[in-house]
Amino acid sequence: MMKREEEALSRLVICDHPLIQHKLTYIRNKETNTKDFRELVDEVATLMAYEITRDIPLDTITVQTPVAETRAKIVSGRMLGLVPILRAGLGMVDGILKLIPSAKVGHIGLARDHETLQPREYYINLPTDAQSRMLIVIDPMLATGGSANAAISSLKNNGCDQIKLMCLIAAPEGVEAVQAAHPDVDIYIAAMDERLNEKGYIVPGLGDAGDRMFGTN
Ligand code: PRP
Ligand code: URA
């Protein structure tokens, strides 16, 4: 289901399952309306959650089935936390919670200045036990990487040390920026696009993720 590109720095995992790629095509389509866009992002987030949790550790316990006692696997290790970057990251939360309902959710609000492309943090609220959790930073778009880097730095400044990044679409520039700043953070994406345009939008991308998710412009 997934293709790994071993980078010198952190791991880049491209989730290339056919269902993810199919749904992503409809997400990209400018004719897709807000309701369908939201539903598709939600579905892709669920499918990607399956991939991002692929290597979480397991313990073996004894369980009594109706037929016999047996040894069977359960998830162990750190509890999970989701950290959507506002606004657009919110659209991926429910899809992941379907698979990991016990995850706690923190929020980081970042707005990218349209001229400088620099992110400005306007909100942060983390679970009280965030430091002991494996955190997944969520944002549909990894463009320059400024927002993802700022979010990851904020988490590290708050004492969090096990962090992954999940995005739908990345530009090569964004992946490079995150790998350079945070080589300990593995990156999971559904597609690596061609480039950024002069306005910092991913080409071909999907446009402005927040606007398409919430019907604003
Ligand atoms: C978008 C997107 C990312 C960021 C990516 O958010 O959802 O957070 O841009 O760009 P970068 O990699 O160059 O930082 P935006 O700042 O437009 O805010 P919004 O979600 O509130 O629309
Ligand atoms: N943010 C978006 O929403 N879309 C892009 O293409 C780049 C940044």
Side-chain angles (χ1 to χ4, degrees), residues 85-88 110-112 139 141-147 208 210:
I85 300 179
L86 308 181
R87 294 174 298 166
L110 291 169
R112 198 172 73 143
D139 195 323
M141 309 307 276
L142 180 58
T144 64
S147 302
D208 187 304

Side-chain angles (χ1 to χ4, degrees), residues 123-189:
Y123 185 74
I124 180 161
N125 189 331
L126 301 176
T128 47
D129 60 353
Q131 298 77 9
S132 62
R133 289 178 177 260
M134 197 268 274
L135 300 179
I136 304 174
V137 174
I138 308 162
D139 195 323
M141 309 307 276
L142 180 58
T144 64
S147 302
N149 273 344
I152 295 165
S153 293
S154 270
L155 294 177
K156 289 182 174 175
N157 289 339
N158 277 277
C160 305
D161 63 356
Q162 203 178 340
I163 302 167
K164 295 187 183 202
L165 174 65
M166 184 199 284
C167 303
L168 297 188
I169 299 178
E173 295 90 329
V175 170
E176 275 172 32
V178 174
Q179 289 184 319
H182 301 290
D184 55 317
V185 174
D186 290 341
I187 305 169
Y188 292 73
I189 60 175

Side-chain angles (χ1 to χ4, degrees), residues 19-215:
L19 288 177
I20 294 178
Q21 297 305 313
H22 175 85
K23 290 173 192 295
L24 189 59
T25 299
Y26 286 89
I27 289 171
R28 289 183 189 277
N29 189 340
K30 69 176 186 177
E31 303 301 335
T32 298
N33 65 32
T34 306
K35 171 181 174 289
D36 292 343
F37 185 92
R38 269 192 212 126
E39 288 175 4
L40 287 159
V41 168
D42 180 77
E43 289 167 10
V44 169
T46 304
L47 294 168
M48 290 186 73
Y50 178 81
E51 283 302 338
I52 206 164
T53 52
R54 180 175 283 277
D55 56 7
I56 58 178
L58 292 171
D59 265 350
T60 306
I61 61 164
T62 301
V63 65
Q64 181 74 48
T65 80
V67 178
E69 187 175 279
T70 188
R71 302 280 286 160
K73 309 282 188 198
I74 56 162
V75 167
S76 69
R78 289 196 187 194
M79 302 287 282
L80 295 179
L82 311 181
V83 186
I85 300 179
L86 308 181
R87 294 174 298 166
L90 283 177
M92 297 171 73
V93 171
D94 285 350
I96 302 173
L97 287 177
K98 279 183 199 134
L99 219 55
I100 315 165
S102 59
K104 288 191 178 173
V105 183
H107 296 86
I108 295 185
L110 291 169
R112 198 172 73 143
D113 184 285
H114 288 291
E115 299 298 324
T116 65
L117 303 183
Q118 294 305 306
R120 178 182 58 83
E121 184 176 299
Y122 60 85
Y123 185 74
I124 180 161
N125 189 331
L126 301 176
T128 47
D129 60 353
Q131 298 77 9
S132 62
R133 289 178 177 260
M134 197 268 274
L135 300 179
I136 304 174
V137 174
I138 308 162
D139 195 323
M141 309 307 276
L142 180 58
T144 64
S147 302
N149 273 344
I152 295 165
S153 293
S154 270
L155 294 177
K156 289 182 174 175
N157 289 339
N158 277 277
C160 305
D161 63 356
Q162 203 178 340
I163 302 167
K164 295 187 183 202
L165 174 65
M166 184 199 284
C167 303
L168 297 188
I169 299 178
E173 295 90 329
V175 170
E176 275 172 32
V178 174
Q179 289 184 319
H182 301 290
D184 55 317
V185 174
D186 290 341
I187 305 169
Y188 292 73
I189 60 175
M192 175 79 99
D193 276 10
E194 289 167 22
R195 61 186 169 85
L196 295 177
N197 69 14
E198 65 288 350
K199 291 185 173 165
Y201 277 83
I202 299 176
V203 181
L206 54 72
D208 187 304
D211 284 346
R212 296 203 58 198
M213 186 85 62
F214 297 108

